[in-house]
Amino acid sequence: MGFPLLFCRRLTHFRRVAPILGLGLLAACAAPPPVADNDPYESSNRRTHAFNQALDTNLIRPLARGVEPVTNGPVGSVINNVAGNLSMPSAILNKTLQGKFEDAVHNTWRFALNTTLGIGGLFDPASAMGLTERDADFGGTLHAWGAGEGAFLMLPVLGPSTERDALGKVVDAVIDPVGVALHSPQSGYARGIKVVSKLGDRARFGGTVDSIMHESADSYAQTRLLYLQNRRFELGQEVGDDAFIDPYANPYGD
C-alpha cells in the first residue's frame, strides 16, 4: 500500500474517531472521586448479569472446556503470545495518550522484538529480556485525563464495567492500530485468535469465575465489588488496606 493511500485511510479513520475523543475530553472536565456503590442502574444491570450467567453456562463455559486441551498446551502458549502481541499497538497508543512515554517506549521495544525475533508474536523473547507487558486501555487514558469512572455498568457478553470504561472500550475498538492496518481475512483471524485466547483464560481461571458468577450468594454484588476494587487498583486509586484484588476481573475480556 502506497504512503498516500495509507495516509488517507488514517486521516479518514481519525475523522470518525474525533467526535468520540471529544466526548472523552468533555468527560474529563468534571471528575468526582469514585463512589463505593455508584450503581443507579442496578435493576437493568442485574438483568444483564442474569443474561451473562446464562450465556456463560450454556455457551462460553462449555466452549472453554472444549478448547482447554489445546489452550493448556504449547499451542495455547503460542495463541496467547500472538494475542498479546496484537494488543501491543493499542497499549502503545494509550500509553502515549496518557503521557507515559517511558512505558510507550518499553511496549514499543517489546512489540518490535516479539514481532521480529518472536516471528510475528509466536514466541515471547521480550519477556525473557525483562520487557514484560505494560497494559493500557482508553478507559485508563480517560482516567489519566481526569475523567471520573461514572456509574457501574454490566455489559452484555463483556461483563462488568463503568460508564468511563464502557466508552473506553468503544474508542479502543475504533482506534485499534491493528484493526486499521489489517484487512479481511487477516482481521478476522486476529479477532479469532483473541477470542480463543479469552476462552483459554476462562478455562484456566474456571474455578474462580464459577465461584463468583455461579456460586456466590449474590453473584451480581460480588462481581461488582471485585471488578471495581480491581479496576481502581489497576489505575492507582485508593481502594483500602483490605481490598481484595480479583485475579480474573472480567470473565469475557476487554
Side-chain angles (χ1 to χ4, degrees), residues 72-102:
N72 276 352
V75 174
S77 296
V78 170
I79 291 172
N80 288 337
N81 289 340
V82 174
N85 203 51
L86 289 171
S87 72
M88 274 294 94
S90 180
I92 293 167
L93 176 59
N94 276 297
K95 287 293 187 183
T96 302
L97 292 173
Q98 293 170 20
K100 298 178 179 179
F101 303 114
E102 181 183 347

Side-chain angles (χ1 to χ4, degrees), residues 143-213:
H143 167 73
W145 291 352
E149 70 181 19
F152 177 76
L153 293 177
M154 184 65 70
L155 303 177
V157 183
L158 298 178
S161 185
T162 61
E163 290 177 320
R164 179 184 62 204
D165 288 344
L167 174 60
K169 292 178 193 297
V170 174
V171 176
D172 277 328
V174 174
I175 69 174
D176 179 17
V178 173
V180 175
L182 294 182
H183 298 278
S184 180
Q186 289 83 1
S187 59
Y189 298 152
R191 286 191 292 269
I193 289 171
K194 290 180 179 180
V195 169
V196 174
S197 178
K198 292 301 180 184
L199 288 174
D201 290 343
R202 175 62 179 89
R204 188 178 310 112
F205 298 100
T208 302
V209 177
D210 287 343
S211 67
I212 296 169
M213 288 194 69

Side-chain angles (χ1 to χ4, degrees), residues 24 45 48 61 92 111 166 229:
N45 280 339
T48 303
R61 182 167 58 183
I92 293 167
F111 179 70
Q229 287 183 339

Side-chain angles (χ1 to χ4, degrees), residues 83-138:
N85 203 51
L86 289 171
S87 72
M88 274 294 94
S90 180
I92 293 167
L93 176 59
N94 276 297
K95 287 293 187 183
T96 302
L97 292 173
Q98 293 170 20
K100 298 178 179 179
F101 303 114
E102 181 183 347
D103 287 348
V105 172
H106 175 101
N107 281 344
T108 300
W109 276 110
R110 174 180 172 81
F111 179 70
L113 286 170
N114 282 351
T115 301
T116 54
L117 298 181
I119 314 177
L122 295 176
F123 306 100
D124 185 13
S127 291
M129 300 178 187
L131 293 170
T132 55
E133 178 182 359
R134 296 181 181 177
D135 198 15
D137 55 58
F138 198 77

Side-chain angles (χ1 to χ4, degrees), residues 39 41-47 49 53 152-154 212-213 216-225:
D39 191 4
Y41 313 119
E42 181 171 352
S43 179
S44 60
N45 280 339
R46 283 186 177 274
R47 289 194 294 271
H49 179 67
Q53 282 182 306
F152 177 76
L153 293 177
M154 184 65 70
I212 296 169
M213 288 194 69
S216 301
D218 186 343
S219 62
Y220 170 77
Q222 183 80 341
T223 300
R224 179 184 61 197
L225 172 67

